[in-house]
Amino acid sequence: MMRVLIAILLLLLQTMGVASDRPNIVFMLSDDQAWNGLSVAMHPNVSGSKEADFHTPNLEKLASQGMRFSAGYAPASVCSPTRISLMTGKSPAALHWTKAAPPETGHKLMEPRNIRSIPANETTIGELLRKAGYATAHYGKWHIGGGGPEQHGFDESDGDTGNENAYQFKDPNPVDIFGMADRAAAFMEKNAKVKKPFFIQLSWNALHASENANQATLTKYERQLKGENRKRITTAAITEDLDTGVGRIMEAIDQLGLFETTYVIYMADNGAGGGKKVLAGGKGGVWEGGIRVPFIVRGPGVKPNSWCHTRVVGYDLFPTFCEFAGIAPGKMPKGIEGGSIASLLKTAGLGEVKRPREELVFHFPHYQGDAPHSAIFVGDLKLLHFYEDNRDELYDLSKDIGERDDLAAQRPAETKKLRERLDKYLAEVDAQFPSPNPNFDPHQPVEPKERGGKNKPGKSTTN
């Protein structure tokens, strides 16, 4: 009888959240933000790894208090595939969701279909953390269907949202930045009072609807960037408004006395180009400009103002958060592709990430930023494979972060080996591929597709 009572007590302690030794986790995800889109340098030795004309003082502060990952990657070069990957710890290729927008037609190849909604049988990080005794909340853009966050492990959320909030909210609450910050602060306060650890994901709507930035911020950049194009001006403004929202989250953590017990993670859902000719490509392509993103972590045991140059990817956060919460690896679902970065945070950024596979693969069998293509990383070597013409390109990122010097012809053996590893990986995860278009007419121009996202006025795509 006594053993039964002890077992029940231990279960109650876990589910009721008596876990003061476990850290809180606040994960912030920006939308369409370039690797060098902050006033924070993302590499100590790469000129142009920050945006000198933008102003993000709170993210500068976060970086000074924590660790910057110079080689941090989003799981995909577009939003929904990244979001489902973050939720499940699996790559978009394995999940069969590799594009956000509808397929383009009229090309030489036909794009594969996506699942378009997170399956009920996928175990999310929210479900695991809630089972482990965490209070869980998701605010902002969900964009992976399945009934919304509260059907997938979150106690509170804004619902099954897409990009619509980015267009509904204007000054004084641009794209709901400050509303999201207020809801997160209230959630933190509520759970801090009962000493329950919490996990909050803030999926910011920014940088979407950049024209909805606060008027005062827009006016500042209209003066500062006079003569530059309107998109750059509005992007600078919404970036600063987003930074203000990040500052409100940091201030709430400080006021609640949670600085020493809370991890704060900041990254983007995909790249938005390299800017100033630093990185090649942009959104919709697995060149560095489409997948390399800002990646900053602050928290217990993280050395202030430190750097990590080890390559990390967004789905590494799933096992990392599990390790923070004391969830044993054996309790994680099968098929997790990421590896915990917790050891890097404790060793001043030194070491490697232990994943089931050594290679990292980014698969985009679609048309958007480029023709269908994939990339594989092993060490500093990156191979790009293009499906239309079966072409391979090889780059050494340690010397050529801008991917300008194709080494495939000079190093054929390494190119062949990486291509074989890419093919093997994609076969193992049952990845989808483009197929020949029997109706392709090379003389018929392809109509350009409009982008913009779910519920954007006058648009119909889902980026």
Side-chain angles (χ1 to χ4, degrees):
M1 182 67 178
M2 181 61 70
R3 289 180 180 178
V4 173
L5 289 173
I6 290 173
I8 292 172
L9 178 60
L10 289 172
L11 180 62
L12 285 172
L13 287 173
Q14 182 183 38
T15 58
M16 292 176 64
V18 182
S20 59
D21 60 322
R22 289 184 290 173
N24 307 304
I25 305 167
V26 177
F27 173 41
M28 294 187 275
L29 184 70
S30 62
D31 199 312
D32 290 355
Q33 191 162 51
W35 178 66
N36 55 352
L38 312 176
S39 60
V40 183
M42 288 312 302
H43 196 294
N45 302 318
V46 175
S47 176
S49 70
K50 70 176 183 178
E51 177 52 80
D53 292 328
F54 291 9
H55 189 49
T56 57
N58 293 297
L59 286 163
E60 289 180 28
K61 181 178 180 181
L62 184 69
S64 72
Q65 294 171 336
M67 181 179 292
R68 277 171 277 184
F69 289 79
S70 66
Y73 291 83
S77 61
V78 289
C79 78
S80 295
T82 282
R83 292 164 196 276
I84 190 173
S85 177
L86 292 168
M87 278 293 135
T88 62
K90 302 175 184 178
S91 71
L95 292 161
H96 289 181
W97 197 344
T98 44
K99 189 180 182 182
E104 295 185 13
T105 57
H107 290 286
K108 184 177 181 180
L109 300 176
M110 296 190 299
E111 300 181 25
R113 294 179 179 271
N114 285 313
I115 59 172
R116 309 303 295 177
S117 184
I118 184 171
N121 63 356
E122 287 290 349
T123 301
T124 71
I125 188 61
E127 289 169 328
L128 279 184
L129 291 175
R130 184 162 69 177
K131 187 176 180 181
Y134 274 68
T136 56
H138 182 284
Y139 301 114
K141 180 177 170 179
W142 175 248
H143 215 210
I144 52 175
E150 289 170 53
Q151 299 298 314
H152 297 274
F154 291 92
D155 301 319
E156 288 188 12
S157 79
D158 292 332
D160 189 2
T161 58
N163 283 331
E164 64 275 14
N165 284 356
Y167 300 94
Q168 291 175 358
F169 293 90
K170 301 181 180 181
D171 192 333
N173 180 27
V175 301
D176 202 26
I177 292 168
F178 306 140
M180 287 174 58
D182 289 345
R183 293 192 292 280
F187 189 81
M188 286 190 276
E189 183 177 12
K190 176 175 66 176
N191 287 287
K193 285 180 179 179
V194 296
K195 300 187 183 303
K196 186 169 186 176
F198 55 79
F199 167 62
I200 301 173
Q201 180 166 328
L202 287 131
S203 293
W204 303 108
N205 299 300
L207 306 180
H208 274 289
S210 58
E211 65 274 13
N212 284 12
N214 272 350
Q215 187 56 53
T217 322
L218 282 169
T219 300
K220 169 185 173 179
Y221 285 101
E222 285 168 349
R223 292 170 179 165
Q224 182 176 316
L225 301 177
K226 187 176 180 179
E228 299 205 26
N229 68 68
R230 186 66 184 173
K231 181 61 177 177
R232 178 165 167 76
I233 290 169
T234 61
T235 298
I238 202 67
T239 298
E240 183 166 329
D241 285 343
L242 175 57
D243 181 80
T244 301
V246 170
R248 291 191 182 189
I249 297 296
M250 294 167 65
E251 182 180 8
I253 291 170
D254 291 346
Q255 289 180 345
L256 292 168
L258 301 175
F259 180 92
E260 299 293 339
T261 57
T262 303
Y263 283 99
V264 179
I265 301 93
Y266 184 93
M267 67 170 285
D269 68 342
N270 54 255
K276 299 181 180 177
K277 299 182 180 179
V278 178
L279 302 182
K283 183 173 181 176
V286 298
W287 299 89
E288 292 296 285
I291 53 177
R292 192 182 282 231
V293 294
F295 203 115
I296 306 169
V297 182
R298 182 192 83 181
V302 181
K303 184 180 178 181
N305 203 28
S306 56
W307 289 91
C308 179
H309 302 297
T310 299
R311 219 172 298 284
V312 299
V313 65
Y315 52 77
D316 289 332
L317 293 176
F318 190 109
T320 303
F321 294 165
C322 287
E323 184 169 344
F324 289 165
I327 299 170
K331 297 291 185 181
M332 290 192 294
K334 294 181 180 179
I336 298 298
E337 294 187 69
S340 175
I341 66 170
S343 63
L344 298 177
L345 299 172
K346 297 172 184 176
T347 58
L350 301 176
E352 298 297 327
V353 180
K354 295 181 180 179
R355 304 185 186 91
R357 300 177 179 87
E358 177 191 11
E359 66 271 12
L360 281 178
V361 172
F362 297 84
H363 186 52
F364 197 77
H366 308 278
Y367 292 90
Q368 188 166 327
D370 209 322
H373 61 300
S374 302
I376 181 170
F377 294 77
V378 176
D380 289 321
L381 288 181
K382 177 182 179 181
L383 178 132
L384 285 157
H385 175 68
F386 297 86
Y387 293 97
E388 274 198 351
D389 55 6
N390 201 35
R391 184 177 84 258
D392 295 319
E393 297 184 11
L394 182 69
Y395 298 95
D396 182 348
L397 296 181
S398 67
K399 303 173 183 176
D400 181 24
I401 194 172
E403 296 171 293
R404 290 170 176 81
D405 185 13
D406 178 11
L407 304 174
Q410 300 173 39
R411 299 163 74 168
E414 289 168 297
T415 299
K416 182 176 183 291
K417 184 177 179 181
L418 282 176
R419 172 67 186 282
E420 289 172 349
R421 289 184 70 164
L422 172 64
D423 292 344
K424 180 181 178 183
Y425 167 84
L426 293 172
E428 287 177 351
V429 300
D430 190 29
Q432 297 177 302
F433 294 92
S435 57
N437 180 2
N439 300 315
F440 173 63
D441 181 354
H443 304 295
Q444 181 68 31
V446 178
E447 294 185 8
K449 296 293 181 179
E450 290 185 308
R451 315 277 179 209
K454 176 183 174 184
N455 295 332
K456 179 177 179 179
K459 307 290 183 182
S460 61
T461 57
T462 53
N463 243 342

